[in-house]
Amino acid sequence: MKRDSPLAPMATIEIRTVTLVYPDGTRAMEDISLAMPEGKVTAVLGPSGSGKTSMLRVIAGLLEPSSGQVVVDGRDVTGLPLEKRNIGMVFQSYALFPNMTVEENVEFGLKVRRVPPAERRARVGQVLDTVRIGPLAKKRIRQISGGEAQRVALARAIVYNPRILLMDEPLSALDAKIREELRGELRQFLQEFGTTTVYVTHDQTEAMALGDRVVVMNRGRVVQVGTPPEIYQNPANLFVATFIGHANLCPCEIASEEGGRYRFALPWGSFSAKAGEMRASPPLGRRMLMIRPEDLAIATHGAEAHCVVRVEEVLYLGNRLRVGARTESAERMLLDVENTRRVEIGERVPVRLDLAKLHLLDPEPGPPA
Ligand SMILES: Nc1ncnc2c1ncn2[C@@H]1O[C@H](COP(=O)(O)OP(=O)(O)OP(=O)(O)O)[C@@H](O)[C@H]1O
Ligand SMILES: [Mg+2]
């Protein structure tokens, strides 16, 4: 969809050293500084209670931070109410008027803003087409499905061409099939629409699919910011590694040897690797070795193997098999295998690690709560 005039310029959102303490003493945001680039989708990902909705409310002006500032395009908007910020919001619970029709719901915000009737009708019609619910215009909210209601909520948020779009788990109330369908559409829409968007979710797949950048939160703090591949391949700590995708983790000890070869000692054995085979020279000492299931393979020759595992279960995922196995020293391991390979429960298979994909983490968990 092309934006119509007047073209709302895009905005950069900055949060500067924001702390949010609720009246009961709950610390929902702890000294957070973040910049959300204009025209991009920033996905905020974190477990329940990590402070995602609180952050969204602070950006929207529904909550005032206890300290710090919210800055939009270099202007301090801390203290300005929602109506003065030109922000569109989509909530998890839709927050629609059940007895009003679809078009009345979408028109509501324009009426409040005193947009003339002819222009209102034109904009509502256009925006309903954009989110593909034009034919539902005259139906009441209680007569439409959850997926359709979510489209109405989106239409209502974008109808006055906001500079900033804030979305709080907009798809979480929908069942898996519709959620996936809407996710794809939403991605396309957000890319074309090009509004600066903050998209809150606790679903990593959604964050990866929709975010140009992902902000990972835990216990009121930002633990990592990066593109989806950066977050997946280079998690900053154990929390991020295990929260996003599956991480095979194993404690290891790294000692240097001559000629740039490093010796890795693990509970199930040891191997050595040249600096050039890995993506970076590893630090010496005790680390946590992380490797993703798709970076492990069943070795074709025993000599290529780094370890031997015993297969405990095989999950058919359609395009591949996910094999759950255990090393001789009882570490659990998940590996992805081509779906044409026959793997039997109880079978002992040699496993090869893709050394270029090894990731080493600090063995200590993140900062305490
Ligand atoms: N009005 C409130 N008063 C006191 N504490 C609150 C209030 N709202 C939220 N909290 C607390 O603040 C913390 C962050 O809550 P928030 O709603 O921001 O989490 P969230 O990441 O959005 O979680 P979810 O994924 O479950 O929606 C939680 O510990 C929560 O219990
Ligand atoms: Mg929330």
Side-chain angles (χ1 to χ4, degrees), residues 22 24 26 28 47-54 57 169 202:
Y22 282 109
D24 69 354
T26 305
S48 186
S50 54
K52 306 180 297 293
T53 296
S54 303
R57 288 202 184 121
E169 313 236 10
H202 65 264

Side-chain angles (χ1 to χ4, degrees), residues 20-29 46-57 63 92 168-169 200-202 217 220:
L20 175 71
V21 186
Y22 282 109
D24 69 354
T26 305
R27 304 185 71 87
M29 291 173 74
S48 186
S50 54
K52 306 180 297 293
T53 296
S54 303
M55 187 197 291
L56 219 56
R57 288 202 184 121
L63 277 177
Q92 170 181 357
D168 194 356
E169 313 236 10
V200 160
T201 177
H202 65 264
M217 288 188 74

Side-chain angles (χ1 to χ4, degrees), residues 105-307:
N105 265 278
V106 177
E107 199 184 354
F108 186 79
L110 296 177
K111 265 189 185 163
V112 173
R113 285 174 171 73
R114 300 182 191 285
V115 176
E119 191 185 332
R120 278 198 322 246
R121 274 193 298 279
R123 284 206 52 76
V124 170
Q126 192 181 37
V127 109
L128 290 183
D129 286 342
T130 302
V131 299
R132 301 199 204 158
I133 46 170
L136 302 180
K138 305 286 181 206
K139 283 190 123 183
R140 295 190 191 283
I141 298 302
R142 55 181 162 73
Q143 298 169 324
I144 62 176
S145 75
E148 290 161 352
Q150 197 54 74
R151 288 166 197 259
V152 180
L154 178 61
R156 191 187 45 180
I158 61 174
V159 72
Y160 45 88
N161 226 352
R163 281 154 51 83
I164 294 171
L165 191 55
L166 304 179
M167 309 181 87
D168 194 356
E169 313 236 10
L171 307 181
S172 63
L174 307 172
D175 65 41
K177 181 92 176 67
I178 299 178
R179 194 163 64 221
E180 216 169 288
E181 215 176 279
L182 266 184
R183 188 175 72 208
E185 277 182 34
L186 201 54
R187 176 171 173 71
Q188 207 180 349
F189 168 80
L190 290 174
Q191 276 178 348
E192 285 171 23
F193 198 63
T195 301
T196 309
T197 302
V198 185
Y199 188 99
V200 160
T201 177
H202 65 264
D203 179 335
Q204 41 139 337
T205 317
E206 220 169 277
M208 296 282 170
L210 291 171
D212 293 300
R213 294 205 316 160
V214 178
V215 171
V216 186
M217 288 188 74
N218 189 27
R219 295 171 167 166
R221 293 177 192 273
V222 169
V223 284
Q224 190 169 4
V225 180
T227 63
E230 279 165 5
I231 300 268
Y232 185 74
Q233 289 160 14
N234 292 317
N237 58 28
L238 282 176
F239 170 79
V240 181
T242 50
F243 187 66
I244 293 165
H246 180 82
N248 290 302
L249 294 167
C250 191
C252 72
E253 178 88 34
I254 305 158
S256 180
E257 280 198 359
E258 291 182 22
R261 279 195 94 84
Y262 292 85
R263 185 139 203 94
F264 288 73
L266 296 100
W268 42 259
S270 64
F271 63 88
S272 67
K274 278 191 281 197
E277 292 176 300
M278 296 173 283
R279 49 178 141 161
S281 296
L284 302 183
R286 262 172 43 78
R287 307 297 289 172
M288 188 67 87
L289 184 147
M290 182 203 96
I291 190 152
R292 300 287 186 190
E294 64 273 24
D295 299 326
L296 291 171
I298 296 179
T300 36
H301 306 291
E304 284 183 347
H306 290 103
C307 64

